[in-house]
Amino acid sequence: FKTNTPITVTYDVTGTSLANLTAAWAWVWIPNGPDAKSNVNPSTSNSSATDPAKFVKSLDNGKTLFTLTFTPDAFFAASISSAAHMGILLKGNDWANGQTSDFVVAFWDGTFKVKLVAPAQQPLFVSNSDVISVHAATPVAADYVLFINDVQVDAQPGLTDYSYQIVVDDTLPYFTVKITATANSSSSSISFNYIISGDSPVLVRPPGIIDGINYSPDNTRATLCLWAPGKTSVYALGDFTNWDVLPSYRMNKDGEHFWIEVTGLTSGVEYAFQYLVDESLKVADPYADKILDPDDQYIPAASYPILKAYPTSALHNEWYFNRLAVLQTGQVDYTWQTPSFQRPEKEKLVIYELLVRDFFDSNNRNYQNLIDTIGYFQRLGVNGIELMPVTEFNGNDSWGYNPTFMFAPDKYYGTKNKLKEFIDACHQHGIAVILDIVLNQQDLPNPYVLMYYDFVTQKPRPDNPWFNVDAPHPFSVFYDLNHESKYTQQYVDTVNYHWLHDYKVDGIRFDLAKGFTQQHNPTDVNAWSAYDGSRIAILKRMSDKIWSYAPDTYVILEHFAANAEEKELAEYRSTEGKGMMLWENFNFAYNQSTMGYSDGSDISGIYYGNKGWSAPHAIGYMESHDEERLMYKNLQFGSASGNYNTKSMNIALARMEAASVLFYTVPGPKMLWEFGELGYDQSINRCADGSINQNCRISGKPVLWSYESVPARKNLFNHIADLNRLRKQFSVFTGGEASIPASTALIKQITIKNKPYTSTPADSTRMNVQIVANMNVDAQTTTVIFPHTGTWYDYYSPGATLEVTSGSQAIALAAGGYKLFTDVRITNQTDLITGIEGASDKKVSVYPNPSADILFVESGNIPILTVSLQSMQAIKTTPVRVSENSWDIRELPQGLYIVEIRTSEKTYRTRLMKK
């Protein structure tokens, strides 16, 4: 049929779970072409679009059928007249309700040709005495001739439908059948192969051959090895067999492993290949470090230059068989410029979590641009970068938590050597690199899922050595690994070794580590989160293996289990400098504070000591890829009092500064999520059209590097960068002992004593810190409890001092105001003011300068009475006061002004450029 031919499609779903559907819809597509108008999921969300794709259900002689009549090109908004193939599957109204496998059929181009109707299966495996029913068809009557291994065995004239039966009876292992049809001087041929079935021959592997691709000093050969317990035969096929399944490439069997040496290779040439397992399953090598798939065509050449094209001969109707491994002899290894790297101590880490996809625009999502951005990370002061999953995943546009091949970097972000170059460049600049690696679950077509998969239930089979049929815990996605299985443990250890050894990464963040359990709690989150000794044993075993060859590796867990369990993991071997690190989510508490709400605003747990831990291994964060943006909620839901409104952009950003002082100063490792340093305010649930919907959580987000040019956002960046400088320069912020009262009051106080503590520090190596912030929406005077009396220095009012004569001191704070006091004078690197007349004591600072919207004036504890601006035309203006220390100058014309600041002590003047 052609693209404009009405066709009827019938699915027989008898005996399958799909027979229970009351309604079903077609999902139709053109491979590598436009998407169908009817392709909407769930179907019920847009009935006008999906009704034309709705099947009619019927019962016929005990069979359950779904039938649909449609014209292919009517399903597409764009023309498909030049399309060669069409794909179709049947699905419930939502994917979770099940679907059939893909079926891809060729359109007829209208020319005379013969079509092979049967046998449909390729390659075809048979046994002696089997009968092969051959069926072919032509659009007009034709003369047919059938050949087997180029010998004519049948001829029939004047037929549109041809049939012949081949009785298999021969000792040859491989046959080619060709059918030629001729009509009116036009001739067309089609062929297929059949192979005599047989198990792989038993032969011990040569010494040193391990699972995966084994390269030889002789670049004309390589040995392939596949671990496939319970399988009886495996063939290797690929570019080196012209994608034919050949008896000469049936692999040898050594216990649970299959192997073969491939010869005649050309050094430096890439060869794509697969394995055919038990004559029916096509899988790529699970250990390959490069995987091809049909979506590669959409990868920009700027990200992956000269990417090997997916071989059309390898395309299969079933999408999950369309993954190919790549082998290449004679590769030149990456030359490391920093072969050894001193990793930052765990407690000093400030980790920047990023998703390459959302860090750059669609044409620049690659490692080269990350390399070019290292200066930005340096200015921010982070010393760790955590990449969201980069191992091969389905599609190109993804968070990466649907991994398929764990040894191959996904090509969408660049080549494997460019990833190594990025890691190397980070090391050259003192930055550790952490990979987010997904070992709780894997997705099809991961070979260890696919080789033992039930295509009816769409679950792993019970005999799968690596995967559970069903996850024993909640929040499971895709297919759950059984971490008590020795097969899984060897797989996990090899994955970890690969990235730590071959890519020299400094740490691994294990996604959903709480799922590394076989305790059966599939729906009870509380039971799943309770202390689990078996899970602890699994994680200790894995960590011990990692530390056996990479002793100072960061082992980071996304865990969120009972504190007793997390404490045990954090302290495990910590006296040896090891111990696991755990994500600690304080998104809600800090966001409540920035919005000005007391309920749930207790931040005391951000300090590991308040959890009863002896090791500083709690990685606190205010934002992560899983949490809503603080600034989004500030602007949408923040509270207000009078003219002070946390929904105001500049006020919200100023409150982010206050929150940052309460965050980065606390001893222990910290993490921030990309662009949090610029006050990114697009919702985690933002859709491409700008609407907000939880279904869009993992969809791409706007890349807003333009935020760098917004003064108030740049101020936040500089503020966080300076806090990171403090962490690097002064040990009290990473090794001190913090006291944070457990409280939901919006006046937040943090006392940090150096270790060992002294009330008379001789220098900054022994200094102590007192922090207070007013997260209310109105001014407050609060009593601050200092660790000792004496002179304290107001860090954010350079030059200002506070004489503390008793253990407590009353301090006035504007709404959103904050103070950081030290008992040793240190330099404030963010003081932007120069040349203030009458301010030799530097008690007043004005910033930013130039300024476009909000002007900030800091004066220590000296009350500011008025702020006025006079233009060069002698026009004097009193701007609107936004808060105790900020004024709105957005309505002023651009130009040069004299700013006059009148305080209770004296009047100060300075120049300001209004943008």
Side-chain angles (χ1 to χ4, degrees), residues 267-531:
S267 180
V269 172
E270 291 187 319
Y271 294 86
F273 72 97
Q274 284 181 312
Y275 300 117
L276 178 65
V277 179
D278 278 0
E279 303 178 353
S280 61
L281 301 167
K282 288 186 174 180
V283 300
D285 193 302
Y287 293 92
D289 65 3
K290 184 173 180 179
I291 299 293
L292 302 183
D293 71 69
D295 288 332
D296 291 349
Q297 61 184 309
Y298 304 115
I299 296 175
S303 294
Y304 202 114
I306 319 176
L307 175 57
K308 178 179 173 65
Y310 190 96
T312 56
S313 300
L315 275 171
H316 195 281
N317 283 342
E318 305 291 358
W319 70 270
Y320 39 76
F321 290 155
N322 286 327
R323 298 296 183 271
L324 314 177
V326 175
L327 70 86
Q328 181 187 28
T329 63
Q331 294 184 54
V332 178
D333 291 337
Y334 176 78
T335 302
W336 293 89
Q337 303 303 305
T338 311
S340 59
F341 171 61
Q342 185 65 43
R343 294 163 178 156
E345 296 173 42
K346 295 181 180 70
E347 62 269 23
K348 295 181 179 179
L349 275 173
V350 178
I351 301 168
Y352 192 95
E353 185 193 18
L354 69 86
L355 171 63
V356 181
R357 184 200 69 182
D358 287 352
F359 208 56
F360 303 108
D361 64 60
S362 58
N363 294 317
N364 293 287
R365 296 167 173 167
N366 56 56
Y367 299 124
Q368 182 58 58
N369 281 305
L370 273 184
I371 293 169
D372 296 339
T373 312
I374 287 178
Y376 177 86
F377 301 125
Q378 281 190 293
R379 293 196 304 276
L380 182 58
V382 299
N383 56 7
I385 294 175
E386 180 178 306
L387 298 180
M388 281 175 65
V390 299
T391 58
E392 179 74 20
F393 46 75
N394 280 327
N396 295 324
D397 185 343
S398 173
W399 268 13
Y401 293 103
N402 55 335
T404 52
F405 292 84
M406 297 306 297
F407 297 82
D410 197 282
K411 303 176 300 302
Y412 187 52
Y413 300 140
T415 67
K416 64 180 182 182
N417 279 353
K418 190 59 72 171
L419 173 55
K420 291 178 181 179
E421 184 182 341
F422 165 68
I423 296 167
D424 201 8
C426 285
H427 289 171
Q428 292 174 53
H429 292 88
I431 300 173
V433 178
I434 298 158
L435 291 189
D436 190 340
I437 291 185
V438 185
L439 287 170
N440 173 77
Q441 76 268 357
Q442 313 271 273
D443 194 9
L444 279 178
N446 176 282
Y448 292 144
V449 178
L450 192 54
M451 286 194 293
Y452 309 88
Y453 191 70
D454 187 326
F455 290 94
V456 175
T457 63
Q458 298 183 43
K459 297 178 180 181
R461 296 200 316 254
D463 65 342
N464 192 308
W466 285 271
F467 289 85
N468 291 309
V469 175
D470 295 294
H473 59 82
F475 299 137
S476 177
V477 291
F478 306 112
Y479 306 102
D480 186 78
L481 280 157
N482 174 2
H483 284 269
E484 288 186 352
S485 163
K486 297 300 181 183
Y487 294 89
T488 297
Q489 290 176 1
Q490 181 170 327
Y491 178 59
V492 165
D493 292 343
T494 311
V495 169
N496 293 338
Y497 180 84
H498 172 73
W499 292 103
L500 292 166
H501 179 266
D502 291 6
Y503 288 79
K504 299 187 184 299
V505 301
D506 304 289
I508 298 174
R509 181 262 190 188
F510 292 95
D511 180 66
L512 201 63
K514 191 163 63 180
F516 290 22
T517 180
Q518 288 300 106
Q519 297 298 307
H520 192 70
N521 293 300
T523 59
D524 190 336
V525 176
N526 289 331
W528 175 44
S529 304
Y531 184 93

Side-chain angles (χ1 to χ4, degrees), residues 120-121 126 166 214 257 272 274 289 407 463 600 716 729 766 793 843:
Q121 182 178 341
V126 296
I166 300 172
N214 296 260
H257 304 266
Q274 284 181 312
D289 65 3
F407 297 82
D463 65 342
L716 177 60
Q729 191 168 342
R766 303 295 299 277
Y793 301 90
K843 289 184 178 180

